[in-house]
Amino acid sequence: MKNDNFLVWLKISTIYFFILIVQIVINSFSTNNSLLPNVLLCSSIFIAMLSSEEYKVILVCSVVTFIYDVLFSQYIGITVISLLVIIFLVSAIKIYFNVENIWNLIFTGAICTIVYNCIEWLLNNLANSPYDFLYAIDTMKYQFLANEIFLILLFCLLRKKIIKHHKDRYFR
Amino acid sequence: MRWIGKHKLLVTTAIVLIIAVTVLLSAVVKTEKEDNFGSAFGSVVNTIFQPISKATRNISYHISGMFNYKSLLEENELLKEENDKLHKQLIDSALNSKQLEELLELKNVLNYKKSNLIGEVVTANVVSVDSTNWMSIFSIDMGTEEGIEVNDIVMFGNNLVGKIISTGKGWSKVASIIDESNKISFLIKNNMNLLGVITGNDNGILSGYMVDARAKIQEGDELLTSGMGIYPKGLSIGKVSKIKYDSNRQLTMLEISPFTNFNILQKVTVVL
């Protein structure tokens, strides 16, 4: 039982560190983040949707996003808080939605992208950032699409893991 | 205890949220002060992850170079022309070197010390850009080991880029002038008697006002730093893109397009 628990921790940690490296590569490769998906956000939505132990996801995600904030953000803690709210939101949404349905994932992805950017803008603004809300939201439009495409790709790649009973009539 | 066991998600969220808010608040409060722990932790994290950023940045640079071959050739031609002009200027200024020597002698005799002169500089590579879509904060690969400190000025050519907001061994974070909430005073290049202040940022474009509402300025006028505050005098900021008279405040309001394109920066100069 203890060994299983350790394996779950190890699995979540490994996945999140891989995601962090992918996000670092994206941030370094592109000079404009708004055209590429936010891998940390999308993966967190995905992992929170599938995982039954969200508190473990929250703890690992917080450590990883803390490192991410140290590397990229003006103020440490903004990405941590924003993603924390998103994981909590996804945990609440999945009580009512079927996670095996792709449309629910797309809907959740849309809501989470908007909420994430709003929280990020709000916290930055409280920390004295001069940007207008409408401008911040305007820069989100391409990333909104990129995030949706990335989520659909993730769903297609991990379809067998998400849908436990493929032969169910529901998926025919 | 049983309640905590039953509500692990809620408890974890609350604990992480409290820690994150505390860290964020302390980061906001400490922003102008030296933060030894943050600096040391940043150095460790950057030592681990910066090689990935650097390698990716190099690949990206070479790939974009392949696609922008034509524009690079054009840029090369322009640089050659500029180089020729500068050679001519160099010859002219060599003729005046005698006068310069005399002036320097005079300066020593009068014991004249001018403040706000640009001191030593180091050139650093841009390693990665910030996490949000709209801000223009980026990291560079040099830090305290080169003598870089918080509030040091960052330039690209003679254009003002921004200032260092945090630094550690082998890394620094730069906030561009459009990310700053600080006011920057400026002069109009064509008429150095006209003073104005950059007050903020609307949709990625700087905005400001002229101190003298009757100042005669026009679109396309170049702006230079005035030397007041942390920025030395004479650095190019941008050009006036829009002029509007605000009758309520009785001020001539300006929209300013920065000269530096923060999205394509590869190398920057830090003034120590």
Side-chain angles (χ1 to χ4, degrees), chain A residues 24-25 27-29 31 33 55 58 62 66 68-74 76 84 88 128 130-131 135 143, chain B residues 12-13 16-17 24 41 49 53 56-57 60 128-131 133 135 137 139 173 179 181 201 203 263:
Chain A
I24 290 170
V25 168
N27 278 22
S28 312
F29 192 82
T31 49
N33 281 346
Y55 75 97
I58 284 180
S62 304
F66 181 76
Y68 182 71
D69 270 345
V70 169
L71 284 168
F72 298 108
S73 303
Q74 186 171 9
I76 297 162
L84 186 70
F88 202 76
N128 222 4
Y131 289 90
Y135 174 66
Q143 196 176 62
Chain B
T12 318
T13 310
V16 174
L17 198 62
L24 177 61
F41 186 74
F49 293 103
S53 295
T56 317
R57 198 81 181 168
S60 159
S128 53
V129 290
D130 71 315
S131 56
N133 298 333
M135 290 168 87
I137 289 163
S139 306
K173 277 188 214 168
D179 280 309
S181 41
N201 162 13
N203 305 341
N263 287 333

